[in-house]
Every structure is written in C-alpha cells, then in structure tokens.
Amino acid sequence: MSSPLFEPLPLDFSNLPKLPPRQGTAHKGQFGHVWLLGGDHGMGGAALLAAEAALRAGAGRVSLMTRAAHLAPALTRMPELMTHSADSSYALAQLLQQADVLVAGPGLGQAPWGRSLLSVTTTLDKPQVWDADALNLLAHGDISPAKSLLITPHPGEAARLLRCSVQQIQQDRPQAALCLAKRYQATVILKGAGTLIATMDGDLRRCDRGHPSMAGPGFGDVLAGLLGALLAQGMVDFEAACLAIWLHAVAGEQLGSGGRGLLASDLLPVIRSLLEAHSPCLAH
Ligand SMILES: NC(=O)C1=CN([C@@H]2O[C@H](COP(=O)(O)OP(=O)(O)OC[C@H]3O[C@@H](n4cnc5c(N)ncnc54)[C@H](OP(=O)(O)O)[C@@H]3O)[C@@H](O)[C@H]2O)[C@@H](O)CC1
Ligand SMILES: Nc1ncnc2c1ncn2[C@@H]1O[C@H](COP(=O)(O)OP(=O)(O)O)[C@@H](O)[C@H]1O
C-alpha cells in the first residue's frame, strides 16, 4: 500500500439518497426493528449510544442486547428501548428472528461473551453493521463475515483486519478501503478525517466534512446506530453509508465550532434536524 492508485469521488452532497416521507397512517412496524449487540463490562455506554442514535434517526423499534448489569441504566436513560441479556446462544438465535437489522460491536469486547453473541449473527441473512470489537473478532479469523455486511473500521481496526500497520492504512486509505471490501465481501466505511466509503464493486467515495472535535469517545458508536436506523428504514448499504456519513460529519462540523469537549451524544439532536431538513417526515 505505497502509492495512491485509486482516486475516490467526493460524496455528492447535492444528490444524497433520501428517506421517503411517511404516510399519515404510518406505524412503527414499517420502520424496522434494529437489534444492538454490545456493551460488555466497562463499555455499556458504547452500545447505549448506538441504540440511542438508532432511535433518534427513526428506527421503528430498537432492542439492546447487553450485559445484565447495563439494563437498568439503559432503561433509565431511554425507556423507549427494549432490553435483553440472553443466557445462551440458542436463546439469542431465537430472539434475533425478530430483527430486521443487526448492529454488532460497540463495546462488545473480545472475551467469550462477545464472541458468542457475534457467532450467532454470522449465520443470519439480514443486513448487519459490524463495528468496533465485532471487527476485532473478525480480524482474529475464527468468525466468518455475515452475508450482508457493512463494516465501519477506524484505521486501527482496518490495520487489524488487513494485518498491517495503521501507518500503512493511512498511506493509501483508498486502496485499504477497497481491499477490505473485497476481502470481507462488505460495504466499507473507513473512518477518520476524510472518511471513505468503498463497495465490493469498486465504487469509492470520500467525505471531506467533519471536525477534529469529533476525535473523542463514542462518535463511532453513534455512527453505527445511525446506519442501523437508515437500513431499517429501507436504504441499501451504500445509500445508508452515504447519508449517515454526511449527517454525522455535518453535525460534528456544526457543533465543532464550539471547540473541544464535544460529546458524541451532543450530535443526536443535530443529526435529527439535519435528517428532517434533508428527508422531511411528512410530504409537503
Ligand atoms: N463509552 C464507552 O463504552 C466506549 C467504548 N468504546 C469501545 O471500546 C472498545 C475499543 O475501541 P477503541 O476504538 O477505543 O480502541 P482500539 O480499537 O484499540 O482503537 C484505538 C487505536 O486505533 C487507532 N486509531 C483509531 N482511530 C484512528 C484514526 N482516526 N487515525 C489513526 N489511528 C486511529 C490508534 O492506533 P495507534 O495510532 O495508537 O497505533 C488507536 O490507538 C470498542 O468496543 C469500542 O466500542 C469506545 O467506543 C469508546 C467509548
Ligand atoms: N479529525 C476528525 N475529522 C473528521 N472526523 C473525525 C475526526 N476524528 C474522528 N472523526 C470521526 O468520529 C468517529 C470516531 O469513531 P471511532 O474511532 O470508531 O470512535 P469510538 O470507537 O470511540 O466510537 C468516526 O466516524 C470518525 O470519522
């Protein structure tokens, strides 16, 4: 990965995919059920941020599968959530039949608990977003990629997935993103300044929006939940990736003008307003 051979097209902000307006008779069953898997001990917040982002971006229902210790705090913050902590892989497989979209990885950890949750999802033929520790587990090689997969590595995770250094990833990010898409048969979002979207067919886009105030914990978790919500509302991987990346980066840019100390959860109301301006809930 030495010389940049592939020049990504800039994301076409004037022509981003839209969510359709909702009928007056709409009901929650039409906007998908997102299941969030994550939040091992010490990292419950990551899964919670992703779940909150999915709710705030319009998913019809959101279920959180996490450690039992995180259920009460999660419900205190968001009573709209449905919560579970499966006792066995069999029980989880049964529960996941209800899911339309899976988001796995935020705070999942790489211990047996996280590994067993992820191993249940690999066989499910549903749209899936894998982030954070789902990618670290995938990189270990003993979990196979799911069939319909969107992966969201930061450069550290990309380096683990391609078994190279972060420096090699950053030297030629376009090639790294395309290589990940081919190797894992997935749509890829390679995060960091100048986020890239790559598809298995070789389509490559770059987003030059965003702000260094986003270099803090949880911003990737919010992106993962946002992607889940857009997939649940009917977008395909590439559409969801383009719109989510734009909403996330522009929200960060707007709030970044306030300087350091931006919280990932601060993005949520801004993402909601940007989404409404872009794809109004009601037809005008
Ligand atoms: N509140 C919670 O519960 C939270 C929980 N969280 C959860 O923690 C778990 C571990 O995830 P994590 O991302 O913190 O650790 P990890 O994968 O080792 O990555 C760090 C290394 O990767 C690299 N690197 C990253 N970005 C880069 C960039 N733009 N540009 C260049 N390099 C970059 C960089 O490598 P270096 O440069 O140091 O070699 C860096 O040291 C995971 O489950 C996550 O969900 C978090 O979401 C936080 C909030
Ligand atoms: N300097 C930056 N410029 C633009 N976007 C950034 C910058 N730093 C971080 N981000 C964005 O913030 C998010 C950070 O995600 P990630 O590294 O997975 O964090 P976490 O695991 O803590 O949620 C990514 O979407 C990334 O593109």
Side-chain angles (χ1 to χ4, degrees), residues 42-46 105-109 132-133 136 154-157 160 166 170 192 217-218 221:
M43 297 185 292
L108 186 68
D133 286 319
N136 294 326
H154 62 47
E157 289 150 352
R160 288 167 211 143
V166 170
Q170 297 294 62
D221 305 322

Side-chain angles (χ1 to χ4, degrees), residues 4-283:
L5 295 174
F6 306 96
E7 194 49 48
L9 291 171
L11 254 190
D12 183 358
F13 299 115
S14 64
N15 194 22
L16 285 168
K18 285 186 190 292
L19 289 175
R22 293 185 176 182
Q23 302 284 317
T25 54
H27 63 83
K28 64 182 182 240
Q30 295 168 320
F31 308 112
H33 190 167
V34 177
W35 275 69
L36 253 304
L37 280 69
D40 199 357
H41 295 308
M43 297 185 292
L48 198 51
L49 279 167
E52 191 165 358
L55 280 169
R56 289 292 186 184
R61 281 170 292 172
V62 179
S63 288
L64 174 63
M65 168 69 60
T66 189
R67 284 287 195 181
H70 298 141
L71 298 182
L75 287 175
T76 304
R77 185 172 170 101
M78 273 181 296
E80 297 84 358
L81 271 182
M82 288 178 281
T83 49
H84 304 268
S85 66
D87 300 326
S88 68
S89 298
Y90 176 76
L92 177 59
Q94 295 298 109
L95 285 167
L96 289 182
Q97 296 305 321
Q98 304 167 17
D100 294 308
V101 175
L102 304 179
V103 178
L108 186 68
Q110 298 173 58
W113 178 81
R115 184 182 301 263
S116 74
L117 291 194
L118 190 66
S119 64
V120 174
T121 74
T122 60
T123 54
L124 297 177
D125 189 8
K126 299 174 188 273
Q128 304 197 26
V129 179
W130 285 15
D131 181 36
D133 286 319
L135 302 178
N136 294 326
L137 289 164
L138 181 62
H140 289 317
D142 46 359
I143 294 235
S144 332
K147 206 166 166 190
S148 172
L149 190 58
L150 198 166
I151 61 175
T152 58
H154 62 47
E157 289 150 352
R160 288 167 211 143
L161 285 165
L162 290 177
R163 298 196 169 81
C164 64
S165 66
V166 170
Q167 194 193 9
Q168 283 171 305
I169 296 289
Q170 297 294 62
Q171 260 168 17
D172 193 344
R173 286 169 53 86
Q175 195 186 343
L178 288 168
C179 196
L180 283 165
K182 279 256 183 301
R183 181 166 311 177
Y184 292 98
Q185 291 293 291
T187 301
V188 176
I189 293 175
L190 178 57
K191 297 184 292 195
T195 289
L196 296 171
I197 302 166
T199 70
M200 288 172 267
D201 302 331
D203 207 343
L204 191 63
R205 304 293 155 96
R206 189 184 59 236
C207 173
D208 292 319
R209 308 292 295 264
H211 193 278
S213 66
M214 299 169 79
F219 285 86
D221 305 322
V222 164
L223 178 68
L226 174 56
L227 286 162
L230 298 181
L231 291 170
Q233 289 171 87
M235 287 190 155
V236 297
D237 283 5
F238 183 69
E239 292 174 333
C242 292
L243 182 55
I245 290 299
W246 178 79
L247 291 166
H248 186 257
V250 173
E253 218 173 75
Q254 287 187 5
L255 292 168
S257 61
R260 294 173 176 83
L262 180 63
L263 299 186
S265 54
D266 294 341
L267 293 185
L268 297 174
V270 182
I271 288 174
R272 183 169 179 237
S273 306
L274 288 167
L275 181 57
E276 176 59 14
H278 173 75
S279 296
C281 186
L282 287 177

